[in-house]
Coordinates of all heavy atoms in Angstrom, one line a residue:
W1 N 41.6 101.7 120.6 CA 42.7 101.0 119.9 C 42.2 99.9 119.1 O 42.8 99.3 118.3 CB 43.7 100.5 120.8 CG 43.4 99.4 121.9 CD1 42.7 99.6 123.0 CD2 43.5 98.0 121.7 NE1 42.3 98.3 123.6 CE2 43.0 97.4 122.7 CE3 44.1 97.3 120.6 CZ2 43.0 96.0 122.8 CZ3 44.1 95.9 120.8 CH2 43.5 95.3 121.9
Q2 N 41.0 99.4 119.2 CA 40.3 98.4 118.4 C 40.2 98.8 117.0 O 40.1 97.9 116.1 CB 39.0 98.0 119.0 CG 39.1 97.3 120.4 CD 37.8 96.9 121.1 OE1 36.8 97.6 120.7 NE2 37.8 96.0 122.0
D3 N 40.1 100.1 116.7 CA 39.9 100.4 115.3 C 41.2 100.6 114.6 O 41.2 100.9 113.3 CB 39.2 101.9 115.3 CG 37.7 101.6 115.8 OD1 37.2 100.6 115.7 OD2 37.2 102.7 116.2
M4 N 42.3 100.4 115.4 CA 43.7 100.5 114.6 C 43.9 99.5 113.6 O 43.4 98.3 113.8 CB 44.8 100.5 115.6 CG 44.8 101.6 116.5 SD 46.1 101.5 117.8 CE 47.5 101.6 116.9
K5 N 44.4 99.8 112.5 CA 44.6 98.8 111.5 C 45.7 97.8 111.9 O 46.7 98.3 112.5 CB 44.9 99.5 110.1 CG 43.8 100.1 109.6 CD 44.2 100.8 108.2 CE 42.8 101.4 107.6 NZ 43.1 102.0 106.3
T6 N 45.7 96.7 111.3 CA 46.8 95.7 111.6 C 47.9 96.1 110.6 O 47.7 96.3 109.4 CB 46.3 94.4 111.2 OG1 45.2 94.0 111.9 CG2 47.4 93.3 111.4
P7 N 49.2 96.1 111.1 CA 50.3 96.4 110.1 C 50.3 95.4 109.1 O 50.0 94.2 109.2 CB 51.5 96.1 111.2 CG 51.1 96.2 112.5 CD 49.6 95.8 112.5
S8 N 50.7 96.1 107.9 CA 50.7 95.2 106.7 C 51.4 93.9 106.8 O 51.1 92.9 106.2 CB 51.1 96.0 105.5 OG 52.5 96.4 105.7
S9 N 52.5 93.8 107.6 CA 53.4 92.6 107.7 C 52.5 91.6 108.5 O 52.9 90.5 108.4 CB 54.6 92.9 108.5 OG 54.3 93.3 109.8
K10 N 51.6 92.0 109.2 CA 50.7 91.0 110.0 C 49.5 90.5 109.2 O 48.8 89.6 109.7 CB 50.3 91.5 111.3 CG 51.5 91.9 112.3 CD 52.1 90.7 112.8 CE 53.2 91.1 113.7 NZ 54.0 90.0 114.2
K11 N 49.1 91.2 108.0 CA 47.8 90.9 107.4 C 48.1 89.5 106.6 O 49.2 89.2 106.2 CB 47.5 92.0 106.4 CG 47.1 93.2 107.1 CD 46.7 94.2 106.0 CE 46.2 95.6 106.6 NZ 45.9 96.5 105.7
K12 N 47.0 88.9 106.4 CA 47.0 87.7 105.8 C 47.2 88.1 104.2 O 46.6 89.0 103.7 CB 45.7 86.9 105.9 CG 45.5 85.6 105.1 CD 44.2 84.9 105.4 CE 44.0 83.8 104.5 NZ 42.6 83.2 104.7
S13 N 48.0 87.2 103.6 CA 48.3 87.5 102.2 C 47.1 87.1 101.4 O 46.3 86.1 101.7 CB 49.5 86.7 101.8 OG 49.7 86.6 100.4
S14 N 46.9 87.6 100.2 CA 46.1 87.0 99.3 C 46.4 85.8 98.4 O 45.8 85.3 97.6 CB 45.6 88.2 98.4 OG 46.7 88.6 97.5
L15 N 47.7 85.4 98.7 CA 48.2 84.3 98.0 C 47.6 83.0 98.4 O 47.4 82.8 99.6 CB 49.8 84.2 98.3 CG 50.9 84.9 97.6 CD1 52.2 84.5 98.1 CD2 50.7 84.5 96.1
T16 N 47.3 82.1 97.6 CA 46.7 80.8 97.9 C 48.0 79.8 98.0 O 49.1 80.3 97.5 CB 45.8 80.3 96.9 OG1 46.5 80.1 95.6 CG2 44.7 81.2 96.6
P17 N 47.9 78.7 98.6 CA 48.9 77.8 98.6 C 49.4 77.4 97.2 O 50.7 77.3 97.0 CB 48.5 76.6 99.4 CG 47.3 77.2 100.3 CD 46.7 78.3 99.5
E18 N 48.6 77.3 96.3 CA 48.8 77.0 95.0 C 49.7 78.0 94.3 O 50.7 77.8 93.6 CB 47.6 76.7 94.1 CG 46.8 75.5 94.5 CD 46.0 75.7 95.8 OE1 45.7 76.8 96.1 OE2 45.6 74.6 96.4
Q19 N 49.4 79.3 94.5 CA 50.0 80.4 94.0 C 51.5 80.5 94.6 O 52.4 80.8 94.0 CB 49.3 81.8 94.3 CG 48.1 81.8 93.4 CD 47.3 83.0 93.8 OE1 47.1 83.3 95.0 NE2 46.5 83.7 92.9
F20 N 51.5 80.3 95.9 CA 52.8 80.3 96.6 C 53.7 79.2 96.0 O 54.9 79.5 95.6 CB 52.6 80.1 98.1 CG 53.9 80.2 99.0 CD1 54.3 81.4 99.4 CD2 54.7 79.0 99.1 CE1 55.4 81.6 100.2 CE2 55.9 79.2 99.9 CZ 56.3 80.4 100.4
I21 N 53.3 78.1 95.8 CA 54.0 77.0 95.2 C 54.5 77.3 93.8 O 55.7 77.2 93.4 CB 53.3 75.6 95.3 CG1 53.1 75.1 96.6 CG2 53.9 74.6 94.4 CD1 52.0 74.0 96.8
A22 N 53.5 77.9 93.0 CA 53.9 78.3 91.7 C 55.0 79.4 91.6 O 55.9 79.3 90.8 CB 52.6 78.8 90.9
S23 N 55.0 80.3 92.6 CA 56.0 81.2 92.6 C 57.4 80.7 93.1 O 58.3 80.9 92.5 CB 55.6 82.4 93.7 OG 54.5 83.1 93.3
R24 N 57.3 79.8 94.0 CA 58.6 79.1 94.5 C 59.2 78.4 93.3 O 60.4 78.5 93.0 CB 58.3 78.2 95.6 CG 59.5 77.4 96.0 CD 59.3 76.4 97.1 NE 58.2 75.4 96.9 CZ 58.3 74.4 96.1 NH1 59.4 74.1 95.5 NH2 57.3 73.5 96.0
E25 N 58.3 77.7 92.6 CA 58.9 76.9 91.4 C 59.4 77.7 90.3 O 60.4 77.4 89.7 CB 57.8 75.9 91.0 CG 57.5 74.8 92.0 CD 56.3 73.9 91.5 OE1 55.5 74.2 90.7 OE2 56.3 72.8 92.2
R26 N 58.7 78.8 89.9 CA 59.0 79.7 89.0 C 60.3 80.4 89.3 O 61.2 80.6 88.5 CB 58.0 80.9 88.8 CG 58.2 81.8 87.7 CD 57.1 82.8 87.4 NE 57.1 83.7 88.5 CZ 56.2 83.8 89.5 NH1 55.1 82.9 89.5 NH2 56.1 84.6 90.5
L27 N 60.6 80.7 90.6 CA 61.9 81.3 91.0 C 63.1 80.2 91.0 O 64.2 80.6 91.2 CB 61.7 81.9 92.4 CG 60.8 83.1 92.4 CD1 60.5 83.6 93.8 CD2 61.6 84.3 91.6
G28 N 62.6 78.9 91.0 CA 63.7 77.8 90.9 C 64.1 77.4 92.3 O 65.2 76.8 92.5
F29 N 63.3 77.5 93.3 CA 63.7 77.1 94.7 C 63.0 75.9 95.1 O 61.8 75.6 94.8 CB 63.3 78.2 95.6 CG 64.2 79.4 95.7 CD1 63.8 80.6 95.0 CD2 65.3 79.4 96.5 CE1 64.6 81.7 95.0 CE2 66.1 80.6 96.5 CZ 65.7 81.8 95.8
K30 N 63.6 75.1 95.9 CA 63.0 73.9 96.6 C 62.6 74.5 97.9 O 63.0 75.7 98.3 CB 64.1 72.8 96.9 CG 64.6 72.2 95.5 CD 65.2 70.9 95.8 CE 65.6 70.4 94.3 NZ 65.4 69.0 94.3
P31 N 61.6 73.8 98.6 CA 61.1 74.5 99.9 C 62.1 74.8 100.8 O 62.0 75.9 101.5 CB 60.2 73.3 100.4 CG 59.7 72.7 99.1 CD 60.9 72.7 98.2
R32 N 63.1 74.0 101.1 CA 64.2 74.3 102.0 C 65.0 75.5 101.7 O 65.3 76.3 102.4 CB 65.0 73.2 102.2 CG 66.2 73.3 103.3 CD 67.0 72.1 103.4 NE 66.3 70.8 103.7 CZ 65.9 70.5 104.9 NH1 66.1 71.2 105.9 NH2 65.3 69.3 105.0
A33 N 65.3 75.8 100.4 CA 66.1 76.8 100.0 C 65.3 78.1 100.1 O 65.9 79.2 100.4 CB 66.6 76.5 98.5
L34 N 64.0 78.1 99.7 CA 63.1 79.2 99.8 C 63.0 79.6 101.3 O 63.1 80.9 101.7 CB 61.9 79.1 99.1 CG 60.9 80.3 99.2 CD1 61.6 81.5 98.4 CD2 59.5 80.0 98.6
A35 N 62.8 78.7 102.1 CA 62.7 79.0 103.5 C 63.9 79.7 104.0 O 63.9 80.7 104.8 CB 62.4 77.7 104.3
A36 N 65.1 79.3 103.7 CA 66.4 79.8 104.1 C 66.4 81.3 103.6 O 66.9 82.2 104.3 CB 67.6 79.0 103.7
R37 N 66.0 81.5 102.2 CA 66.2 82.8 101.7 C 65.2 83.7 102.3 O 65.5 85.0 102.5 CB 65.9 82.6 100.2 CG 66.0 83.9 99.4 CD 67.4 84.3 99.1 NE 67.5 85.6 98.5 CZ 67.7 85.7 97.2 NH1 67.8 84.6 96.4 NH2 67.7 86.8 96.7
M38 N 64.0 83.2 102.8 CA 63.0 84.2 103.4 C 63.3 84.3 104.9 O 62.6 85.2 105.5 CB 61.6 83.6 103.1 CG 61.1 83.5 101.8 SD 59.5 82.8 101.5 CE 58.5 84.1 102.0
G39 N 64.1 83.5 105.4 CA 64.5 83.6 106.9 C 63.3 83.0 107.8 O 63.1 83.4 108.9
V40 N 62.7 82.0 107.2 CA 61.7 81.3 108.0 C 62.0 79.8 108.0 O 63.0 79.4 107.3 CB 60.2 81.5 107.4 CG1 59.9 82.9 107.4 CG2 60.2 80.9 106.0
G41 N 61.4 79.0 108.8 CA 61.7 77.6 109.0 C 61.0 76.8 107.7 O 60.0 77.3 107.2
L42 N 61.6 75.8 107.5 CA 61.2 74.8 106.5 C 59.6 74.4 106.8 O 58.9 74.4 105.9 CB 62.0 73.5 106.3 CG 61.5 72.4 105.3 CD1 61.4 73.0 104.0 CD2 62.4 71.2 105.4
R43 N 59.4 74.1 107.9 CA 58.1 73.7 108.3 C 57.0 74.8 108.1 O 55.9 74.5 107.8 CB 57.9 73.3 109.8 CG 58.6 72.0 110.2 CD 58.1 70.8 109.6 NE 56.8 70.6 110.1 CZ 55.7 69.9 109.4 NH1 56.1 69.5 108.3 NH2 54.6 69.7 109.9
T44 N 57.6 76.1 108.3 CA 56.6 77.2 108.0 C 56.2 77.1 106.5 O 55.0 77.2 106.2 CB 57.3 78.4 108.3 OG1 57.6 78.5 109.8 CG2 56.4 79.6 108.0
V45 N 57.2 77.0 105.6 CA 56.9 76.9 104.2 C 56.0 75.8 103.9 O 55.0 75.9 103.0 CB 58.2 76.9 103.4 CG1 58.0 76.5 101.9 CG2 58.9 78.2 103.5
Q46 N 56.3 74.6 104.5 CA 55.5 73.4 104.3 C 54.0 73.6 104.8 O 53.1 73.2 104.1 CB 56.1 72.2 105.1 CG 57.5 71.8 104.5 CD 58.1 70.7 105.2 OE1 58.0 70.7 106.5 NE2 58.9 69.9 104.6
H47 N 53.9 74.3 105.8 CA 52.5 74.7 106.2 C 51.7 75.6 105.3 O 50.6 75.4 105.1 CB 52.5 75.3 107.6 CG 52.6 74.2 108.8 ND1 51.7 73.3 109.1 CD2 53.7 74.1 109.6 CE1 52.1 72.6 110.2 NE2 53.4 73.0 110.4
W48 N 52.5 76.6 104.9 CA 51.9 77.6 103.9 C 51.5 76.8 102.6 O 50.4 77.0 102.1 CB 52.9 78.6 103.5 CG 53.2 79.6 104.5 CD1 52.5 79.8 105.7 CD2 54.3 80.5 104.5 NE1 53.1 80.7 106.6 CE2 54.1 81.3 105.8 CE3 55.3 80.8 103.8 CZ2 55.1 82.2 106.2 CZ3 56.2 81.8 104.2 CH2 56.1 82.5 105.3
E49 N 52.3 75.9 102.1 CA 52.1 75.2 100.9 C 51.0 74.2 101.1 O 50.1 73.9 100.2 CB 53.3 74.5 100.3 CG 54.4 75.5 99.8 CD 55.5 74.9 99.1 OE1 55.6 73.7 99.1 OE2 56.3 75.7 98.5
A50 N 50.8 73.6 102.2 CA 49.8 72.6 102.5 C 48.4 73.3 102.8 O 47.3 72.6 102.8 CB 50.2 71.8 103.7
G51 N 48.4 74.6 103.2 CA 47.2 75.4 103.4 C 46.9 75.2 105.0 O 45.7 75.6 105.2
T52 N 47.7 74.6 105.8 CA 47.4 74.5 107.2 C 47.6 75.7 108.0 O 47.2 75.7 109.1 CB 48.1 73.2 107.8 OG1 49.5 73.4 107.5 CG2 47.8 72.0 107.1
R53 N 48.3 76.7 107.5 CA 48.6 77.9 108.1 C 48.3 79.0 107.0 O 48.9 78.9 106.0 CB 49.9 78.1 108.7 CG 50.2 77.2 109.9 CD 51.4 77.6 110.6 NE 51.6 76.7 111.8 CZ 52.9 76.4 112.2 NH1 53.9 77.1 111.7 NH2 53.0 75.5 113.2
P54 N 47.8 80.1 107.4 CA 47.6 81.2 106.4 C 49.0 81.9 106.1 O 49.8 81.8 106.9 CB 46.8 82.3 107.2 CG 46.8 81.9 108.6 CD 47.2 80.5 108.8
I55 N 49.0 82.2 104.8 CA 50.2 82.8 104.3 C 50.2 84.3 104.7 O 49.3 85.0 104.3 CB 50.4 82.7 102.8 CG1 50.3 81.2 102.5 CG2 51.7 83.3 102.3 CD1 50.2 80.7 101.1
P56 N 51.1 84.8 105.5 CA 51.1 86.2 106.0 C 51.5 87.2 104.9 O 52.2 86.7 103.9 CB 52.1 86.2 107.1 CG 53.1 85.2 106.8 CD 52.3 84.0 106.1
G57 N 51.1 88.4 104.9 CA 51.4 89.3 103.9 C 52.8 89.6 103.7 O 53.3 89.8 102.6
Y58 N 53.7 89.4 104.8 CA 55.1 89.6 104.4 C 55.7 88.6 103.5 O 56.8 88.8 102.9 CB 55.9 89.6 105.9 CG 56.2 88.4 106.5 CD1 57.1 87.4 106.1 CD2 55.2 88.0 107.6 CE1 57.1 86.3 106.8 CE2 55.4 86.8 108.3 CZ 56.4 85.9 107.9 OH 56.5 84.7 108.5
A59 N 55.1 87.4 103.4 CA 55.6 86.4 102.6 C 55.5 86.9 101.1 O 56.3 86.7 100.3 CB 54.8 85.1 102.8
Q60 N 54.4 87.5 100.7 CA 54.2 88.1 99.4 C 55.3 89.1 99.1 O 55.9 89.2 98.0 CB 52.8 88.7 99.2 CG 52.7 89.3 97.8 CD 52.7 88.3 96.6 OE1 51.8 87.5 96.7 NE2 53.6 88.4 95.8
V61 N 55.5 90.0 100.1 CA 56.6 91.0 100.0 C 57.9 90.4 99.8 O 58.6 90.8 98.8 CB 56.6 92.0 101.2 CG1 57.7 92.9 101.1 CG2 55.2 92.7 101.3
L62 N 58.3 89.3 100.5 CA 59.5 88.7 100.4 C 59.7 88.1 99.0 O 60.7 88.1 98.3 CB 59.7 87.8 101.5 CG 60.1 88.3 102.9 CD1 60.0 87.2 103.9 CD2 61.3 89.1 102.9
L63 N 58.6 87.3 98.6 CA 58.6 86.7 97.2 C 58.8 87.8 96.2 O 59.6 87.6 95.3 CB 57.4 86.0 97.0 CG 57.2 84.6 97.7 CD1 55.8 84.1 97.4 CD2 58.2 83.7 97.2
D64 N 58.2 89.0 96.4 CA 58.4 90.1 95.3 C 59.9 90.5 95.3 O 60.4 90.7 94.2 CB 57.4 91.3 95.6 CG 56.0 90.9 95.4 OD1 55.7 90.0 94.7 OD2 55.2 91.7 95.9
F65 N 60.4 90.7 96.5 CA 62.0 91.1 96.6 C 62.8 90.0 95.9 O 63.7 90.4 95.2 CB 62.3 91.4 98.0 CG 61.9 92.8 98.5 CD1 61.0 93.0 99.5 CD2 62.4 93.9 98.0 CE1 60.6 94.2 99.9 CE2 62.2 95.1 98.3 CZ 61.3 95.3 99.4
I66 N 62.5 88.8 96.2 CA 63.4 87.7 95.7 C 63.2 87.7 94.1 O 64.2 87.5 93.4 CB 63.0 86.4 96.4 CG1 63.3 86.3 97.8 CG2 63.7 85.2 95.6 CD1 62.7 85.2 98.5
E67 N 62.0 87.9 93.7 CA 61.9 87.9 92.2 C 62.6 89.1 91.6 O 63.1 89.0 90.5 CB 60.3 87.9 92.0 CG 60.0 87.6 90.4 CD 58.6 87.4 90.1 OE1 57.8 87.4 91.0 OE2 58.4 86.9 89.0
A68 N 62.4 90.2 92.2 CA 63.1 91.4 91.7 C 64.6 91.3 91.6 O 65.3 91.6 90.8 CB 62.7 92.6 92.4
D69 N 65.0 90.6 92.7 CA 66.5 90.4 92.8 C 67.0 89.5 91.7 O 68.0 89.6 91.2 CB 66.8 89.8 94.2 CG 68.4 89.7 94.4 OD1 69.1 90.6 94.1 OD2 68.8 88.6 95.0
A70 N 66.2 88.4 91.5 CA 66.5 87.4 90.5 C 66.6 88.0 89.1 O 67.2 87.6 88.2 CB 65.5 86.2 90.5
S71 N 65.7 89.0 88.9 CA 65.6 89.6 87.6 C 66.7 90.7 87.2 O 66.8 91.0 86.0 CB 64.2 90.1 87.4 OG 64.0 91.3 88.2
V72 N 67.4 91.0 88.2 CA 68.4 92.1 88.0 C 69.6 91.4 87.3 O 70.1 90.4 87.8 CB 68.9 92.7 89.4 CG1 70.1 93.5 89.2 CG2 67.8 93.3 90.1
K73 N 70.0 92.0 86.3 CA 71.0 91.5 85.4 C 72.3 92.1 86.0 O 72.4 93.4 85.9 CB 70.9 91.7 83.9 CG 69.5 91.1 83.4 CD 69.6 89.6 83.3 CE 68.4 89.2 82.6 NZ 67.8 88.1 83.2
T74 N 73.3 91.4 86.3 CA 74.6 92.0 86.7 C 75.6 92.0 85.5 O 75.6 91.1 84.7 CB 75.2 91.2 87.9 OG1 75.5 89.9 87.4 CG2 74.4 91.2 89.1
P75 N 76.2 93.2 85.3 CA 77.3 93.1 84.2 C 78.2 92.1 84.3 O 78.8 91.8 85.5 CB 77.7 94.5 84.2 CG 77.3 95.1 85.5 CD 76.3 94.3 86.2
T76 N 78.7 91.6 83.2 CA 79.8 90.5 83.2 C 81.0 91.2 83.5 O 81.3 92.3 83.0 CB 79.8 89.7 82.0 OG1 80.0 90.6 80.9 CG2 78.6 88.9 81.7
S77 N 81.9 90.7 84.3 CA 83.2 91.3 84.6 C 84.2 91.1 83.3 O 84.1 90.1 82.6 CB 83.9 90.5 85.8 OG 84.1 89.2 85.5
R78 N 84.9 92.1 83.2 CA 85.8 92.2 81.9 C 87.2 91.5 82.5 O 87.7 91.8 83.5 CB 86.0 93.5 81.4 CG 84.8 94.1 80.7 CD 85.0 95.3 80.3 NE 83.7 95.9 79.8 CZ 83.6 97.1 79.2 NH1 84.6 97.8 78.9 NH2 82.4 97.5 78.8
K79 N 87.8 90.8 81.6 CA 89.1 90.2 81.9 C 90.2 90.9 81.3 O 90.1 91.6 80.3 CB 89.2 88.8 81.5 CG 88.2 87.9 82.3 CD 88.4 86.5 81.9 CE 87.5 85.7 82.7 NZ 87.6 84.2 82.4

């Protein structure tokens, strides 16, 4: 079992703290709002941004989904 690969959600992300912050800012989130959107605690986001905890692979996946969701244009409702 030692040769089994770690599930992708458990792998360390290739994101640096600087890249994570840039993504958050590009998406227009403050740390607290992004934490809520990602379903993690504010302190977790603060640790990732400070570089005191590694950014897990699932964080990149969530950022990608949030970015994709933000880019979806919804049709305007007709009156």
